[in-house]
Amino acid sequence: LAVLTGLPAALPALPLELTVLYNSLLFTVGASDSAIKGEAEEIRQGLLRVLEACGACGQDLGMEELWEKVLQEVTMEELQAPLHHLGALQAAWWLAASQLGSVAGLFHLLSTAEDAGRAHCSEGQNELLTVIKAWQVPPERDSLPLVQSARDLKEILCTAAAFLQGLQELEAGNFPTALSLLQEAAGGFCSKKILAQIYTCLSYCTQRMGKLQTALQHLKWALQVDFQCLSALSHMAAVYHELGDTDAELQALTLLYEALGKNPSAVASYGPYFLMQTELLVHTPVLTSLLCHHHPSEVKYLLAQRCLQDGRVPDAVEHYLDFLSLLQEGLQQQVPLDGSSALPRIPEVFLEAASALEQAGRHQDAITVCEEVINRTTDLIPRVLLVEERLEKPECSLPGAELAGGLLSQKKESLCCLSWRAAGYLHQGWAWAKLGECKEAVTQFSREPLEDAVFRCVCPPVTENLQPEVEVLQKIRLLALIGRGMQFLELGRHKQALLDFQHSLQLSPGDPAAGSYLVQALWKLNRKQEAAAQWQKLSQSCPGEDGQHQGQGRPLPLYLVSCLEQAVFPHSEPLSRSIQDYLGAAAQDTSS
């Protein structure tokens, strides 16, 4: 190519020169084995030499205008096939840049009158695919062999065009159109690796359309075609989660974890090798997002989390301990730091692990894990934490907006640290209670963060940006008060228990657990009339009201769910019967 382009442009030599250029570009693409980016400057120079040989120029023209000028001015029969071949390569570069309009325009120029008739796009058909399919590939000359036939290149262009447009429609939320285009791509000319990726995208599309069984079928096809398409396993676990099939979801996550732990074996080439391939043309952010799969440590965490959520406590403990051992190996080197990780903040993982250990009866281990959280967060909490309305997220255009935004971020982080430390003491309190150490439990429930967490926050009213963090703190404070009151009842310190339950109802009016324990404390203090009145108030609430109250607002963090369950008032038939007898006797006295 260097020899040819070093000579003056001449029409007789141009067919050879353009064919060498075509082959050279394909070899360059194939050797790099990376996605095509930027403009093909070599194609531009080749077109300019064609115009130079014809006595014209086009230095100031853009690529689309340059192609239009060349195809209009060059009528030499021997140049038509090489120009068409080069045009197909230009289409590949434009497809890689998602310049779909430019591709369609180029194929309209390449089409003859007969092709244009075939390229008529009827309603419901895709214009770009129609014009590419209508393009008649010129016959190759034996004297000018191509390293990749233009016919194969056309098939690859059709597949890439359908795939790219399907991804665009998927991103736009036009799922029926996306489904049609992705199905077209799946029937096209591509490697097994790309076919598995297309099936994975089809599964996501059908999942979003509510067709979960169809989504599973596409994922099974993806794995049958390419067993190393691990993103298919990630999506499969998500579909099973949506179906509520926890066994299958955990099985998919387990397979994914095992597969990620193995070094990918060298796989033989999928069929014939082509220098220009579909994977070099399709590299969009939405595809990258759909094909990403979790790191082994993230999958291990997901296994732990799902087992804990589903009540599979022994399995959850095993997975959490495995995950904590991964932390010893330096987790920051294992997961992305761009916010795309499936992992929550590390203190929350520790607290979830403590919750699992607690439910498994390993209370001392739970206490130890919580101590780690408490020690790590103690120095990160300011002595006084103010949550003020003026810290509401500012408009970026206002003076000092960046400073105020930074303060807001600091407040959020401080509130999170305060919540984690308070939750650590809360879990320790419940663990000591389960061990029968009521006094030690009272000590943990009375720790400073649990006593002052809410009151160290000045929130009149709390800004929307900080509301979730403050709600979590309030719930932790409520659970600590109920827990301490329960221990006071066990110790026979009924007056102190009563104060805690009254305080609980001030924090969360109408809370069913606090209200029920308040009845019990009043009854034990022989304040039977007050206990009966409170009991009647609770009994008159709607059957679904209690559950609604427990689940109102935002979802609780997973690490607090077990604490919430432990604070639930156990149904007491003797207490209810005693109160009913008391009310019956009081009614008889009144009537007499």
Side-chain angles (χ1 to χ4, degrees):
L1 182 62
V3 170
L4 288 169
T5 54
L7 299 171
L11 284 174
L14 280 177
L16 174 61
E17 182 178 329
L18 294 181
T19 302
V20 173
L21 174 59
Y22 174 90
N23 289 337
S24 173
L25 285 170
L26 282 172
F27 276 126
T28 301
V29 167
S32 68
D33 198 30
S34 59
I36 295 173
K37 294 178 182 178
E39 287 284 351
E41 183 60 29
E42 297 89 343
I43 295 179
R44 178 180 182 83
Q45 294 305 318
L47 295 178
L48 289 174
R49 282 179 62 80
V50 171
L51 289 178
E52 181 186 344
C54 297
C57 65
Q59 292 284 356
D60 298 331
L61 298 176
M63 283 302 290
E64 293 183 52
E65 294 84 0
L66 187 57
W67 268 107
E68 184 175 2
K69 185 177 180 65
V70 168
L71 293 173
Q72 286 176 352
E73 296 204 5
V74 176
T75 57
M76 182 179 168
E77 185 64 31
E78 292 80 359
L79 276 177
Q80 295 306 308
L83 282 173
H84 275 244
H85 299 156
L86 205 58
L89 268 188
Q90 177 67 74
W93 252 264
W94 278 338
L95 273 179
S98 296
Q99 296 176 232
L100 305 186
S102 300
V103 177
L106 178 57
F107 276 106
H108 276 300
L109 291 172
L110 292 173
S111 300
T112 62
E114 184 181 347
D115 296 339
R118 282 192 297 270
H120 176 69
C121 186
S122 59
E123 188 176 353
Q125 288 185 310
N126 183 272
E127 180 189 1
L128 178 57
L129 293 178
T130 302
V131 295
I132 296 177
K133 289 177 180 179
W135 172 53
Q136 288 294 294
V137 180
E140 298 178 21
R141 293 167 57 183
D142 293 339
S143 59
L144 298 173
L146 305 178
V147 295
Q148 182 171 341
S149 74
R151 193 172 302 280
D152 289 341
L153 185 53
K154 174 184 175 179
E155 294 297 328
I156 288 170
L157 291 175
C158 282
T159 303
F163 196 6
L164 276 169
Q165 291 180 102
L167 290 170
Q168 288 179 348
E169 296 295 339
L170 196 61
E171 189 173 21
N174 301 324
F175 301 120
T177 307
L179 181 65
S180 175
L181 287 164
L182 291 171
Q183 286 173 337
E184 175 83 25
F189 193 74
C190 61
S191 66
K192 290 185 177 181
K193 176 183 176 182
I194 283 292
L195 182 56
Q197 293 179 4
I198 294 171
Y199 280 140
T200 302
C201 295
L202 275 166
S203 77
Y204 177 76
C205 183
T206 49
Q207 182 185 1
R208 293 296 303 272
M209 295 172 74
K211 301 177 180 180
L212 300 183
Q213 292 299 334
T214 307
L216 280 178
Q217 187 60 58
H218 282 124
L219 291 170
K220 290 174 183 176
W221 288 340
L223 291 169
Q224 287 171 3
V225 167
D226 180 10
F227 64 90
Q228 290 192 350
C229 185
L230 300 186
S231 56
L233 277 174
S234 292
H235 285 278
M236 189 173 282
V239 174
Y240 279 128
H241 179 71
E242 194 169 342
L243 284 168
D245 190 342
T246 306
D247 289 332
E249 179 191 358
L250 293 175
Q251 185 180 11
L253 288 172
T254 302
L255 288 172
L256 178 58
Y257 182 75
E258 292 173 354
L260 289 169
K262 299 174 183 176
N263 291 323
S265 56
V267 182
S269 176
Y270 293 134
Y273 178 78
F274 294 103
L275 295 168
M276 179 67 74
Q277 305 174 71
T278 308
E279 40 264 65
L280 301 178
L281 307 180
V282 184
H283 47 90
T284 64
V286 63
L287 180 62
T288 303
S289 174
L290 286 172
L291 294 181
C292 74
H293 55 72
H294 300 299
H295 188 274
S297 56
E298 295 176 286
V299 179
K300 177 58 71 174
Y301 169 73
L302 288 173
L303 280 165
Q305 180 196 55
R306 291 297 296 122
C307 286
L308 184 58
Q309 289 172 334
D310 198 56
R312 304 175 189 225
V313 176
D315 291 337
V317 168
E318 179 183 349
H319 290 309
Y320 274 115
L321 292 180
D322 287 344
F323 178 82
L324 294 183
S325 70
L326 288 173
L327 287 178
Q328 305 290 330
E329 301 169 13
L331 191 63
Q332 280 122 350
Q333 300 171 4
Q334 304 176 34
V335 294
L337 299 177
D338 57 1
S340 61
S341 172
L343 296 176
R345 300 292 295 276
I346 296 303
E348 294 186 18
V349 181
F350 270 78
L351 290 169
E352 289 174 17
S355 176
L357 288 165
E358 206 177 316
Q359 293 176 63
R362 297 172 60 172
H363 305 300
Q364 287 290 355
D365 291 334
I367 291 168
T368 302
V369 171
C370 289
E371 195 63 34
E372 181 74 14
V373 176
I374 293 165
N375 291 338
R376 293 294 184 93
T377 56
T378 297
D379 295 335
L380 302 176
I381 304 170
R383 185 168 182 82
V384 177
L385 180 60
L386 301 178
V387 182
E388 300 171 350
E389 188 174 12
R390 68 171 180 270
L391 282 176
E392 194 163 0
K393 192 171 182 179
E395 295 292 333
C396 292
S397 58
L398 295 179
E402 290 186 11
L403 177 61
L407 287 172
L408 180 63
S409 178
Q410 290 176 16
K411 298 297 180 185
K412 277 180 173 285
E413 186 67 10
S414 296
L415 281 169
C416 286
C417 291
L418 186 57
S419 297
W420 298 328
R421 186 166 180 239
Y425 285 127
L426 178 67
H427 275 289
Q428 286 186 331
W430 287 114
W432 285 115
K434 290 291 185 180
L435 289 169
E437 301 287 342
C438 295
K439 291 183 178 180
E440 185 61 36
V442 167
T443 300
Q444 300 306 317
F445 285 133
S446 305
R447 291 288 188 175
E448 179 196 7
L450 296 172
E451 284 295 317
D452 302 324
V454 175
F455 303 105
R456 294 194 326 181
C457 301
V458 181
C459 30
V462 176
T463 69
E464 181 63 27
N465 293 305
L466 296 174
Q467 188 69 37
E469 289 78 11
V470 173
E471 284 182 5
V472 169
L473 275 171
Q474 289 174 330
K475 180 60 74 172
I476 292 173
R477 171 70 170 152
L478 172 68
L479 293 172
L481 284 168
I482 293 175
R484 189 172 68 179
M486 292 167 61
Q487 301 314 304
F488 281 144
L489 287 177
E490 288 289 326
L491 294 168
R493 294 158 63 176
H494 301 145
K495 287 185 178 180
Q496 289 167 289
L498 178 65
L499 290 174
D500 276 345
F501 298 136
Q502 287 174 333
H503 197 172
S504 299
L505 287 173
Q506 289 175 4
L507 275 178
S508 180
D511 184 86
S516 299
Y517 278 113
L518 179 65
V519 170
Q520 187 179 37
L522 288 168
W523 190 261
K524 287 181 179 292
L525 287 167
N526 206 30
R527 293 164 61 173
K528 297 186 176 181
Q529 186 175 357
E530 295 174 69
Q534 180 66 26
W535 182 83
Q536 285 181 311
K537 183 179 177 181
L538 287 171
S539 302
Q540 289 167 1
S541 63
C542 300
E545 188 176 312
D546 290 355
Q548 182 182 357
H549 183 83
Q550 293 279 12
Q552 70 182 2
R554 296 173 177 85
L556 274 182
L558 180 58
Y559 61 81
L560 286 182
V561 172
S562 63
C563 297
L564 185 66
E565 292 171 351
Q566 292 180 86
V568 172
F569 183 78
H571 179 68
S572 175
E573 190 65 38
L575 178 61
S576 297
R577 193 180 304 113
S578 297
I579 294 175
Q580 287 173 335
D581 292 344
Y582 171 79
L583 290 171
Q588 286 181 355
D589 292 343
T590 303
S591 60
S592 61

